[in-house]
Amino acid sequence: MNFERLLIGGGTLVVFLLVWELCADSDAINPLFISSPSRIVHAGSALMTDPDFWNDVRVSANEFIFGYIAAIVIGVPLGLLMGTSRRLSYIFAPFVDTLNAVPRVTLLPLLIIWFGIGIWSKVAVVFLGAVIPIVISALSGVKTNEARFLTMARSFSASRTRIFASIILPGTVPYIFTGLKYAAGRALLGVVVGELYASTAGLGHMIADAGNMFQTDTLFFGVLIFTATGLVVVALLDRLERRFERWRPNVGAAT
Amino acid sequence: MKRFYLAHERAILGAIGVVLFLMLWEGFERGWWAELLQPPLGPQAARFQLKPIFISSPTRIARMAFDMFFITGAIWKDIGWSSLEFALGIALAFAIGIPLGLAAGWYRRLNYAVEPFLAALNATPQVAFLPLLILWVGTGLASRVMIIVLLAVLPIAISALAAVRTVDARLVRVARSFSAGDALLFRSIILPSAVPFLLAGARLAVGRGMIGIVVGEIYGSSAGIGAMISQAGSRFETDKVFVGVLTIATAGVALVELIRRIERRVDVWRPQVAA
């Protein structure tokens, strides 16, 4: 059963790559336009020894990491606060909702006026892209807390901090992780768009340059790096989430 | 008084927050805060006045919006182009995504075959394909429509797939035992129960499409809201940038609201099968 899945999935992938390779090699379609798997591998191995390439990787990684971490550091507490304090949520809701409605990449021209075309405008767009889903998921995590637990804790006169630490926070963890996974996609999008729009270095910059110079193989290799990053980040977050789930007492299962 | 406050607390606090924010913003541009802080800070206070090209201000933006919409009418052409791209892109995304998702949900083997591709495409920021699309079809309308399709097709296909997966198996079995063919089964059971999922997918797709409009137009496009925003940005016409951003936000909110309305409608006429 699972074997069938692997067989069909893997088989299709192999056939796809073979057809692609053949189309390019037989000049049925100009390889300038579609490149081919072997060319991409070649370009990739050539890039591995290229210091410029590693510089691009470092720049993009920095943009992603700074922006994403800033989004977590600000987004999670803000979401939790908005979830626990009704008044705060009333005050912040219009801003969060408005930003949520705007595709944050539209703010790029402004961010570039404010922060220049260096790394910080990209960090800002990554931050803005990632912070909103994190806030919203943390907020909705708090909101969906089991009312029974809260009533129970209150009737045993637990303090607010105690309730927060032992009921609200653990209950919110799965929601936060869902938000983090979604935010990772948004953050990658921010890196790419920011670098395509205006930049001096980074993988998005490399992709755009490769496109301009018809180096389709380099272009595909760059896209593949983004694909791999997306897959790895989500897999890592899944792992972390399972870890958090493990120590969590299985409270919900009782009913 | 107090009762009035409690009844409308949400609106009141929200409005206070927004008004304070707008005043803070306006004050930075007009130099209110610089004047206010003049006595304690001396010449240092000038720092609290920011240039209009840097942050613009709510009143400037409002004036610019009024100009662009009602006096010069310059924005309508851009809105027209972007709407055309958006409509074509979303329509194509539906035309590809729904059949693909439904088929992959129904035929297990087909699902196994397309799964790796969908997963890979889902993990990639699809905008990274933009330089490739431009290399293929140039910077014209085609590449802009294609980037919207690429961004919007996945949520649609995935929701269609999920819709078929969650069809009540009992219904399918009943239909089968009354010897209903695939076509009838599809038309009378699967499609109707898929509608709410498809609408949820459409809501996501609209948001993605809005990103597509902006991203697709950053390269050498001469018309469209995204192009207008990036041109205004490079000329430091900050107020114009904000008008563009707000226009896109408004369009996005309106479309999502429209889909929500349809969703509510659909839920009403749909027979309560699961219950």
Side-chain angles (χ1 to χ4, degrees):
Chain A
M1 179 68 191
N2 230 341
F3 179 69
E4 189 188 14
R5 179 177 176 183
L6 208 67
L7 197 71
I8 296 180
T12 322
L13 202 60
V14 170
V15 170
F16 173 75
L17 293 177
L18 276 176
V19 171
W20 186 1
E21 184 73 45
L22 283 175
C23 278
D25 286 352
S26 63
D27 274 323
I29 305 172
N30 191 341
L32 206 57
F33 286 110
I34 57 165
S35 188
S36 71
S38 65
R39 276 165 239 245
I40 295 169
V41 172
H42 259 289
S45 59
L47 281 174
M48 287 295 166
T49 54
D50 184 351
D52 282 350
F53 168 72
W54 289 110
N55 185 42
D56 285 336
V57 171
R58 203 169 45 242
V59 167
S60 291
N62 282 340
E63 290 164 0
F64 179 80
I65 291 168
F66 289 155
Y68 192 55
I69 288 182
I72 295 174
V73 169
I74 292 175
V76 173
L78 184 62
L80 292 177
L81 272 177
M82 283 176 69
T84 38
S85 155
R86 198 162 35 91
R87 298 226 167 87
L88 267 182
S89 86
Y90 290 160
I91 293 174
F92 282 111
F95 299 101
V96 173
D97 290 345
T98 312
L99 268 181
N100 191 30
V102 181
R104 268 83 68 196
V105 292
T106 52
L107 298 170
L108 256 173
L110 282 175
L111 296 174
I112 285 173
I113 294 177
W114 293 340
F115 301 107
I117 64 165
I119 163 171
W120 295 109
S121 54
K122 272 62 119 190
V123 171
V125 81
V126 169
F127 167 77
L128 283 176
V131 74
I132 299 296
I134 294 177
V135 170
I136 290 176
S137 61
L139 170 69
S140 58
V142 178
K143 285 276 170 66
T144 46
N145 254 299
E146 281 274 2
R148 289 174 307 160
F149 297 157
L150 295 181
T151 330
M152 164 99 146
R154 285 217 190 93
S155 57
F156 280 96
S157 64
S159 66
R160 278 187 75 129
T161 42
R162 186 70 196 278
I163 291 180
F164 184 80
S166 55
I167 297 175
I168 295 181
L169 198 57
T172 315
V173 166
Y175 287 87
I176 294 180
F177 271 103
T178 310
L180 287 183
K181 273 182 248 170
Y182 190 71
R186 288 295 150 133
L188 273 182
L189 177 88
V191 171
V192 178
V193 178
E195 290 181 351
L196 289 181
Y197 188 79
S199 64
T200 51
L203 288 170
H205 183 75
M206 182 188 94
I207 292 177
D209 261 3
N212 289 336
M213 294 187 284
F214 281 82
Q215 292 170 337
T216 327
D217 38 11
T218 310
L219 194 157
F220 270 112
F221 188 71
V223 174
L224 275 179
I225 295 179
F226 279 114
T227 309
T229 313
L231 289 172
V232 167
V233 171
V234 170
L236 272 180
L237 287 171
D238 270 334
R239 269 253 163 111
L240 261 177
E241 184 178 10
R242 241 171 283 141
R243 252 218 121 96
F244 272 102
E245 288 294 297
R246 204 159 1 126
W247 62 252
R248 217 154 69 90
N250 235 329
V251 278
T255 47
Chain B
M1 186 66 194
K2 178 145 193 207
R3 194 178 303 153
F4 177 81
Y5 170 78
L6 286 178
H8 302 275
E9 192 178 23
R10 184 185 181 118
I12 292 171
L13 284 178
I16 290 175
V18 170
V19 169
L20 280 181
F21 174 75
L22 291 179
M23 279 178 60
L24 189 75
W25 186 0
E26 187 78 31
F28 269 120
E29 197 259 326
R30 298 201 171 211
W32 295 346
W33 315 129
E35 263 172 56
L36 206 68
L37 293 167
Q38 183 76 34
L41 290 176
Q44 286 281 319
R47 269 204 224 145
F48 288 89
Q49 176 160 22
L50 298 171
K51 289 203 183 83
I53 59 161
F54 214 61
I55 54 162
S56 189
S57 75
T59 50
R60 275 170 182 270
I61 296 168
R63 208 176 314 130
M64 180 54 95
F66 187 77
D67 258 20
M68 290 173 82
F69 275 95
F70 302 114
I71 297 189
T72 63
I75 202 169
W76 294 111
K77 193 184 68 158
D78 292 324
I79 291 181
W81 273 106
S82 292
S83 312
L84 177 67
E85 286 161 21
F86 185 80
L88 285 175
I90 292 288
L92 267 173
F94 269 105
I96 299 169
I98 292 182
L100 181 70
L102 291 179
W106 193 242
Y107 303 105
R108 192 162 39 92
R109 299 213 168 89
L110 179 67
N111 180 33
Y112 291 158
V114 295
E115 217 175 12
F117 297 95
L118 289 183
L121 191 61
N122 197 22
T124 318
Q126 294 92 9
V127 290
F129 287 106
L130 183 64
L132 187 70
L133 295 179
I134 287 174
L135 203 143
W136 286 347
V137 295
T139 56
L141 186 67
S143 67
R144 287 179 256 153
V145 171
M146 279 165 81
I147 197 77
I148 294 176
V149 173
L150 211 51
L151 278 160
V153 74
L154 269 176
I156 295 172
I158 290 173
S159 62
L161 202 157
V164 178
R165 285 292 174 73
T166 49
V167 166
D168 196 341
R170 287 172 305 168
L171 294 179
V172 176
R173 236 177 299 142
V174 169
R176 280 251 193 266
S177 55
F178 281 99
S179 67
D182 263 8
L184 182 62
L185 200 66
F186 185 79
R187 196 151 35 87
S188 54
I189 295 176
I190 296 176
L191 211 52
S193 57
V195 167
F197 284 86
L198 292 178
L199 286 170
R203 244 189 306 135
L204 280 177
V206 164
R208 298 289 202 88
M210 290 287 158
I211 295 179
I213 290 181
V214 179
V215 176
E217 291 175 3
I218 60 179
Y219 275 133
S221 167
S222 54
I225 294 287
M228 190 275 274
I229 291 175
S230 72
Q231 274 168 22
S234 56
R235 290 188 206 134
F236 290 90
E237 295 170 324
T238 321
D239 31 13
K240 232 169 154 179
V241 174
F242 275 112
V243 173
V245 170
L246 290 175
T247 307
I248 288 190
T250 313
V253 170
L255 280 173
V256 168
E257 187 54 38
L258 182 74
I259 297 174
R260 284 239 167 84
R261 289 256 164 92
I262 300 175
E263 272 179 305
R264 249 173 268 147
R265 258 319 242 294
V266 168
D267 269 348
V268 172
W269 65 250
R270 215 158 65 94
Q272 289 287 334
V273 276

